[in-house]
Amino acid sequence: EPEVTQTPSHQVTQMGQEVILRCVPISNHLYFYWYRQILGQKVEFLVSFYNNEISEKSEIFDDQFSVERPDGSNFTLKIRSTKLEDSAMYFCASSEDLGYNEQFFGPGTRLTVL
Amino acid sequence: TQLLEQSPQFLSIQEGENLTVYCNSSSVFSSLQWYRQEPGEGPVLLVTVVTGGEVKKLKRLTFQFGDARKDSSLHITAAQPGDTGLYLCAGGTGANSKLTFGKGITLSVRP
């Protein structure tokens, strides 16, 4: 069964460093998303991406964040200068164009900022 | 701001019991998903409901979308220890829009 994959599973970084989180969405899906979940809190939307453009972003997704689809399979989230409060699980999700919302999530990357 | 409230927050029951949990909002959603999440893992999609009043069954799990598309329920028949986990509901307002998640319901089924 097709699934969303994410790498790395765990990333430890120093405050102020740049990190890139990688995702491979399900191959026939057209819509891609990043969410995050701070420990013990709700899953929160960050950004959605379609047709090589950001279609929607939350107030969390400030200038320190960027997304890219560098080739036909990968979808990345970059945090330019990490802060302690960026420590969270980051989930990638994808969906196909069904006319209704059905998103499939990857296993997540645990980001720890020291 | 759209909010999804899930209740109860925690539920501990004996194997074999039935249970119903809820996902409520004051906002209308075009679709609603139920996910199950294990610690340290991503949400796994259980079901999507899109039509008011819709009922979907997944083995012993029955999901219903409210007539007004503002709420949903999950009923589990004869719960088993393998049902233990965090159940999340998430609503979308458009075909491929962002999902708004509830805080989740932590279910523990004792053998």
Side-chain angles (χ1 to χ4, degrees):
Chain A
E1 187 173 324
E3 57 184 19
V4 177
T5 60
Q6 291 185 242
T7 54
S9 57
H10 191 188
Q11 174 92 49
V12 181
T13 190
Q14 294 291 326
M15 189 169 56
Q17 294 297 303
E18 174 184 287
V19 295
I20 297 176
L21 310 182
R22 292 183 167 80
C23 167
V24 178
I26 294 173
S27 62
N28 64 325
H29 286 188
L30 301 175
Y31 298 85
F32 314 116
Y33 312 83
W34 284 101
Y35 292 80
R36 79 173 186 189
Q37 187 177 32
I38 295 170
L39 188 64
Q41 297 187 22
K42 287 194 281 189
V43 176
E44 301 175 285
F45 168 77
L46 292 178
V47 66
S48 57
F49 192 83
Y50 170 71
N51 200 25
N52 282 320
E53 289 184 346
I54 289 174
S55 30
E56 190 175 4
K57 60 183 181 180
S58 72
E59 60 275 10
I60 303 168
F61 194 87
D62 61 20
D63 291 345
Q64 292 300 311
F65 291 87
S66 62
V67 288
E68 191 178 32
R69 187 154 163 83
D71 53 45
S73 59
N74 289 285
F75 179 50
T76 63
L77 173 70
K78 182 193 290 186
I79 309 175
R80 288 191 185 81
S81 178
T82 49
K83 305 182 185 75
L84 295 176
E85 54 265 35
D86 293 328
S87 294
M89 283 287 284
Y90 287 81
F91 297 109
C92 173
S94 67
S95 65
E96 56 181 318
D97 193 0
L98 295 174
Y100 58 87
N101 212 336
E102 187 166 81
Q103 296 180 20
F104 293 86
F105 282 72
T109 293
R110 178 172 298 284
L111 177 64
T112 302
V113 182
L114 302 176
Chain B
T1 303
Q2 296 175 312
L3 290 174
L4 279 168
E5 301 287 341
Q6 293 191 248
S7 60
Q9 192 174 354
F10 300 97
L11 187 58
S12 180
I13 61 171
Q14 201 70 34
E15 181 177 1
E17 292 183 8
N18 301 333
L19 66 114
T20 302
V21 295
Y22 302 93
C23 173
N24 295 305
S25 176
S26 58
S27 304
V28 174
F29 290 96
S30 61
S31 67
L32 200 135
Q33 285 78 44
W34 283 90
Y35 293 86
R36 181 171 159 177
Q37 185 179 29
E38 299 300 328
E41 298 181 11
V44 175
L45 182 65
L46 297 174
V47 77
T48 300
V49 285
V50 298
T51 306
E54 182 176 5
V55 176
K56 281 194 173 178
K57 293 194 174 187
L58 183 67
K59 297 183 182 177
R60 292 175 294 98
L61 277 60
T62 302
F63 304 86
Q64 182 161 11
F65 202 9
D67 291 340
R69 290 185 290 133
K70 292 182 179 181
D71 52 79
S72 180
S73 63
L74 160 59
H75 180 80
I76 301 179
T77 303
Q80 299 177 1
D83 296 327
T84 293
L86 178 66
Y87 290 82
L88 302 171
C89 68
T93 55
N96 295 286
S97 69
K98 67 180 183 184
L99 291 178
T100 298
F101 278 82
K103 287 185 177 179
I105 295 162
T106 300
L107 173 64
S108 172
V109 182
R110 304 184 302 275

Coordinates of all heavy atoms in Angstrom, one line a residue, chain A residues 31 33 35 37 42-45 48 56 89 91 95-108 110, chain B residues 3-4 31 33 35 37 40-43 45 47-48 50 86 88 92-99 101-103:
Chain A
Y31 N -1.5 17.3 -3.7 CA -1.5 18.3 -2.7 C -0.6 17.8 -1.5 O -0.7 16.7 -1.1 CB -3.0 18.5 -2.2 CG -3.9 19.0 -3.3 CD1 -4.5 18.1 -4.1 CD2 -4.1 20.4 -3.4 CE1 -5.4 18.6 -5.1 CE2 -5.0 20.8 -4.4 CZ -5.6 19.9 -5.3 OH -6.4 20.4 -6.2
Y33 N 1.3 18.8 2.3 CA 1.1 19.6 3.5 C 2.2 19.3 4.6 O 2.8 18.3 4.6 CB -0.2 19.2 4.2 CG -1.4 19.2 3.3 CD1 -1.7 18.0 2.5 CD2 -2.3 20.2 3.2 CE1 -2.8 18.0 1.7 CE2 -3.4 20.2 2.4 CZ -3.6 19.0 1.6 OH -4.7 19.0 0.8
Y35 N 2.5 19.7 8.8 CA 1.9 20.0 10.1 C 3.0 19.8 11.2 O 4.0 19.1 10.9 CB 0.8 19.0 10.4 CG -0.4 19.1 9.5 CD1 -0.4 18.6 8.2 CD2 -1.6 19.8 9.9 CE1 -1.6 18.7 7.4 CE2 -2.7 19.9 9.1 CZ -2.7 19.4 7.9 OH -3.8 19.5 7.1
Q37 N 3.5 19.0 15.6 CA 2.8 18.6 16.9 C 3.9 18.8 18.0 O 4.8 18.0 18.1 CB 2.3 17.2 16.8 CG 1.5 16.8 18.0 CD 0.9 15.4 17.9 OE1 1.4 14.5 17.3 NE2 -0.3 15.2 18.5
K42 N -2.0 19.7 20.2 CA -2.7 19.3 19.0 C -1.8 19.3 17.8 O -0.7 20.0 17.8 CB -3.8 20.4 18.7 CG -5.0 20.3 19.6 CD -6.1 21.1 19.1 CE -6.0 22.6 19.3 NZ -7.3 23.3 18.9
V43 N -2.2 18.6 16.8 CA -1.5 18.7 15.5 C -1.9 20.0 14.9 O -3.1 20.4 14.9 CB -2.0 17.5 14.6 CG1 -1.4 17.7 13.2 CG2 -1.6 16.2 15.2
E44 N -0.9 20.8 14.4 CA -1.2 22.2 13.9 C -0.8 22.3 12.5 O 0.3 21.8 12.1 CB -0.4 23.2 14.7 CG -0.6 23.3 16.2 CD 0.4 24.3 16.8 OE1 1.5 24.0 16.9 OE2 -0.1 25.4 17.1
F45 N -1.6 22.9 11.7 CA -1.3 23.1 10.2 C -0.2 24.1 10.1 O -0.2 25.2 10.8 CB -2.5 23.6 9.5 CG -2.3 24.1 8.1 CD1 -2.1 23.2 7.1 CD2 -2.4 25.5 7.9 CE1 -1.9 23.7 5.8 CE2 -2.2 25.9 6.6 CZ -2.0 25.1 5.6
S48 N 0.3 24.4 3.1 CA -0.1 23.5 2.0 C 0.5 24.0 0.7 O 0.8 25.2 0.5 CB -1.7 23.4 1.9 OG -2.2 24.7 1.7
E56 N -1.8 27.8 1.0 CA -2.2 28.3 2.3 C -1.1 28.1 3.3 O -0.4 27.2 3.3 CB -3.5 27.6 2.7 CG -4.2 28.2 3.9 CD -5.5 27.5 4.2 OE1 -5.8 26.4 3.6 OE2 -6.2 27.9 5.2
M89 N 7.3 17.4 16.7 CA 7.2 16.4 15.6 C 6.7 17.1 14.4 O 5.7 17.9 14.5 CB 6.2 15.3 16.0 CG 6.8 14.2 16.9 SD 8.0 13.1 16.1 CE 6.9 12.0 15.2
F91 N 5.1 16.6 10.6 CA 4.4 15.6 9.8 C 4.2 16.1 8.4 O 3.7 17.3 8.3 CB 3.1 15.1 10.4 CG 3.2 14.5 11.7 CD1 2.7 15.1 12.8 CD2 3.7 13.2 11.8 CE1 2.8 14.5 14.1 CE2 3.8 12.6 13.0 CZ 3.3 13.2 14.2
S95 N -2.5 14.5 -0.4 CA -3.8 14.1 -0.8 C -4.0 14.1 -2.3 O -3.2 14.9 -3.0 CB -4.9 14.9 -0.1 OG -4.8 16.3 -0.5
E96 N -4.9 13.4 -2.8 CA -5.2 13.5 -4.3 C -6.4 14.3 -4.5 O -7.1 14.7 -3.5 CB -5.3 12.1 -4.9 CG -6.4 11.2 -4.3 CD -6.4 9.8 -4.9 OE1 -6.3 9.8 -6.2 OE2 -6.6 8.8 -4.2
D97 N -6.7 14.6 -5.7 CA -7.8 15.5 -6.0 C -9.1 14.7 -6.1 O -9.5 14.3 -7.2 CB -7.6 16.3 -7.3 CG -8.5 17.4 -7.5 OD1 -9.4 17.7 -6.6 OD2 -8.4 18.1 -8.5
L98 N -9.7 14.5 -4.9 CA -11.0 13.7 -4.9 C -12.2 14.5 -4.8 O -13.3 14.0 -4.9 CB -10.9 12.8 -3.7 CG -9.8 11.7 -3.6 CD1 -9.9 11.0 -2.2 CD2 -10.1 10.7 -4.7
G99 N -12.0 15.8 -4.7 CA -13.2 16.7 -4.5 C -13.6 16.8 -3.0 O -14.4 17.5 -2.6
Y100 N -12.9 16.0 -2.1 CA -13.1 16.1 -0.7 C -11.7 15.9 -0.1 O -10.8 15.3 -0.7 CB -14.1 15.2 -0.1 CG -13.9 13.7 -0.4 CD1 -13.1 13.0 0.5 CD2 -14.5 13.1 -1.5 CE1 -12.9 11.6 0.3 CE2 -14.3 11.8 -1.7 CZ -13.5 11.0 -0.8 OH -13.3 9.7 -1.1
N101 N -11.6 16.3 1.2 CA -10.3 16.3 1.8 C -10.0 14.9 2.5 O -10.7 14.5 3.3 CB -10.3 17.4 2.9 CG -9.0 18.0 3.1 OD1 -8.0 17.4 2.8 ND2 -9.0 19.2 3.7
E102 N -9.0 14.3 2.0 CA -8.5 13.0 2.7 C -7.0 13.0 2.6 O -6.4 12.7 1.6 CB -9.1 11.8 1.9 CG -8.9 10.5 2.6 CD -9.7 9.4 2.0 OE1 -9.3 8.9 1.0 OE2 -10.8 9.1 2.6
Q103 N -6.4 13.3 3.7 CA -5.0 13.5 3.8 C -4.3 12.3 4.5 O -4.8 11.8 5.5 CB -4.6 14.8 4.6 CG -5.1 16.0 3.8 CD -4.7 17.3 4.5 OE1 -3.9 17.3 5.4 NE2 -5.5 18.3 4.2
F104 N -3.2 11.8 3.9 CA -2.5 10.7 4.5 C -1.2 11.2 5.0 O -0.5 12.0 4.3 CB -2.2 9.6 3.4 CG -3.5 9.0 3.0 CD1 -4.3 9.5 2.0 CD2 -3.9 7.8 3.5 CE1 -5.4 8.9 1.6 CE2 -5.0 7.1 3.2 CZ -5.8 7.7 2.2
F105 N -0.9 10.8 6.2 CA 0.3 11.4 7.0 C 1.5 10.4 7.0 O 1.3 9.2 6.9 CB -0.1 11.7 8.4 CG -0.9 12.9 8.6 CD1 -2.2 13.0 8.2 CD2 -0.3 14.1 9.1 CE1 -3.0 14.2 8.3 CE2 -1.1 15.2 9.3 CZ -2.4 15.3 8.9
G106 N 2.7 11.0 7.0 CA 3.9 10.3 7.2 C 4.1 10.0 8.6 O 3.4 10.5 9.5
P107 N 5.2 9.3 8.9 CA 5.5 8.9 10.3 C 6.1 10.0 11.1 O 6.2 9.9 12.3 CB 6.5 7.7 10.1 CG 7.2 8.1 8.8 CD 6.1 8.7 7.9
G108 N 6.5 11.1 10.5 CA 7.0 12.2 11.2 C 8.5 12.3 11.4 O 9.2 11.3 11.3
R110 N 11.1 13.9 14.3 CA 11.1 14.5 15.6 C 12.3 15.5 15.6 O 13.5 15.1 15.4 CB 11.4 13.5 16.7 CG 11.5 14.2 18.1 CD 11.5 13.2 19.2 NE 10.3 12.4 19.3 CZ 9.1 12.9 19.8 NH1 9.1 14.1 20.3 NH2 8.0 12.1 19.8
Chain B
L3 N -12.7 25.4 15.9 CA -12.2 24.5 16.9 C -13.0 23.2 16.9 O -14.2 23.2 16.6 CB -12.4 25.2 18.3 CG -11.5 26.4 18.6 CD1 -11.9 27.0 20.0 CD2 -10.0 26.0 18.7
L4 N -12.3 22.2 17.1 CA -12.9 20.9 17.3 C -12.6 20.4 18.7 O -11.5 20.3 19.2 CB -12.3 19.8 16.3 CG -12.9 19.9 14.9 CD1 -12.0 19.1 14.0 CD2 -14.3 19.4 14.9
S31 N -15.8 18.1 5.3 CA -15.4 16.7 5.6 C -14.8 16.6 6.9 O -14.3 17.6 7.5 CB -14.4 16.3 4.5 OG -13.2 16.9 4.7
Q33 N -12.4 13.8 9.2 CA -11.6 12.6 9.3 C -11.4 12.1 10.7 O -11.3 13.0 11.6 CB -10.2 12.8 8.7 CG -10.2 12.9 7.2 CD -10.6 14.3 6.7 OE1 -10.2 15.3 7.2 NE2 -11.4 14.3 5.7
Y35 N -8.6 9.9 12.8 CA -7.3 9.3 12.7 C -7.0 8.6 14.1 O -7.5 8.9 15.1 CB -6.2 10.3 12.5 CG -6.2 11.0 11.2 CD1 -7.0 12.1 11.0 CD2 -5.4 10.6 10.2 CE1 -7.0 12.8 9.7 CE2 -5.3 11.2 8.9 CZ -6.1 12.3 8.7 OH -6.1 13.0 7.5
Q37 N -3.5 7.7 16.4 CA -2.1 8.0 16.5 C -1.5 7.2 17.6 O -1.9 7.3 18.8 CB -1.9 9.5 16.7 CG -0.4 9.9 16.6 CD -0.3 11.4 16.8 OE1 -1.1 12.1 17.4 NE2 0.8 11.9 16.2
G40 N 4.7 8.8 19.2 CA 5.9 8.9 18.4 C 5.7 8.6 16.9 O 6.6 8.6 16.1
E41 N 4.4 8.4 16.5 CA 4.1 8.1 15.1 C 3.2 9.1 14.5 O 2.6 9.9 15.2 CB 3.6 6.7 15.0 CG 4.5 5.6 15.5 CD 4.0 4.2 15.4 OE1 2.9 4.0 14.7 OE2 4.6 3.3 15.9
G42 N 3.0 9.0 13.2 CA 2.1 9.9 12.5 C 0.6 9.4 12.6 O 0.4 8.2 12.8
P43 N -0.3 10.3 12.4 CA -1.8 9.9 12.4 C -2.1 9.0 11.3 O -1.6 9.2 10.2 CB -2.5 11.2 12.3 CG -1.5 12.3 12.7 CD -0.2 11.8 12.3
L45 N -5.0 7.4 9.0 CA -6.4 7.6 8.7 C -7.3 6.4 8.9 O -7.0 5.3 8.4 CB -6.5 8.1 7.2 CG -7.9 8.5 6.7 CD1 -8.4 9.7 7.4 CD2 -7.8 8.7 5.1
V47 N -11.1 6.9 8.7 CA -12.3 7.1 7.9 C -12.4 8.6 7.5 O -11.9 9.5 8.2 CB -13.5 6.6 8.6 CG1 -13.9 7.7 9.7 CG2 -14.7 6.4 7.7
T48 N -13.1 8.9 6.4 CA -13.5 10.2 6.0 C -15.0 10.2 5.8 O -15.5 9.3 5.1 CB -12.8 10.6 4.7 OG1 -11.4 10.6 4.9 CG2 -13.2 12.0 4.3
V50 N -18.2 12.8 4.6 CA -18.4 14.1 3.9 C -19.8 14.5 3.8 O -20.1 15.7 3.5 CB -17.8 14.0 2.4 CG1 -16.3 13.7 2.5 CG2 -18.5 12.9 1.6
L86 N -4.7 6.8 20.8 CA -5.2 8.2 20.7 C -6.0 8.3 19.4 O -5.5 8.1 18.3 CB -4.0 9.2 20.7 CG -4.3 10.7 20.6 CD1 -5.1 11.1 21.8 CD2 -3.0 11.5 20.4
L88 N -8.0 10.9 17.0 CA -8.0 12.3 16.6 C -9.1 12.5 15.6 O -9.3 11.7 14.7 CB -6.7 12.7 16.0 CG -5.4 12.6 16.8 CD1 -4.2 12.9 16.0 CD2 -5.5 13.5 18.0
G92 N -12.0 19.5 7.6 CA -11.6 20.4 6.5 C -12.7 21.2 6.0 O -13.9 20.8 6.1
T93 N -12.4 22.4 5.5 CA -13.5 23.3 5.0 C -13.5 23.4 3.5 O -14.4 24.1 2.9 CB -13.3 24.7 5.6 OG1 -12.0 25.1 5.3 CG2 -13.5 24.7 7.1
G94 N -12.6 22.7 2.8 CA -12.6 22.7 1.4 C -12.0 21.4 0.8 O -11.6 20.6 1.6
A95 N -12.0 21.3 -0.5 CA -11.6 20.0 -1.1 C -10.2 19.6 -0.7 O -10.0 18.4 -0.4 CB -11.7 20.1 -2.6
N96 N -9.3 20.5 -0.6 CA -7.9 20.1 -0.3 C -7.3 21.2 0.7 O -6.2 21.5 0.7 CB -7.1 20.0 -1.5 CG -7.5 18.9 -2.4 OD1 -7.3 17.8 -2.1 ND2 -8.2 19.3 -3.5
S97 N -8.2 21.6 1.6 CA -7.8 22.7 2.5 C -7.0 22.1 3.7 O -6.9 20.8 3.8 CB -9.1 23.4 3.1 OG -9.8 22.5 3.9
K98 N -6.5 22.9 4.5 CA -5.9 22.5 5.8 C -6.9 21.7 6.6 O -8.1 21.9 6.5 CB -5.3 23.7 6.6 CG -6.5 24.6 7.1 CD -5.9 25.7 7.9 CE -7.0 26.6 8.5 NZ -6.5 27.8 9.2
L99 N -6.3 20.9 7.5 CA -7.2 20.2 8.5 C -7.0 20.9 9.8 O -5.9 21.2 10.2 CB -6.8 18.7 8.6 CG -7.1 17.8 7.4 CD1 -6.6 16.4 7.6 CD2 -8.6 17.8 7.1
F101 N -7.4 20.1 13.7 CA -7.4 18.9 14.6 C -8.0 19.2 15.9 O -7.8 20.3 16.5 CB -6.0 18.3 14.8 CG -5.5 17.4 13.6 CD1 -5.0 18.0 12.5 CD2 -5.6 16.1 13.7 CE1 -4.6 17.2 11.4 CE2 -5.2 15.2 12.7 CZ -4.7 15.8 11.5
G102 N -8.7 18.1 16.5 CA -9.0 18.2 17.9 C -7.8 17.7 18.7 O -6.8 17.3 18.2
K103 N -7.9 17.8 20.1 CA -6.8 17.4 21.0 C -6.7 15.9 21.1 O -5.7 15.4 21.5 CB -7.0 18.0 22.4 CG -6.7 19.5 22.4 CD -6.8 20.0 23.9 CE -6.5 21.4 24.0 NZ -6.6 21.9 25.4

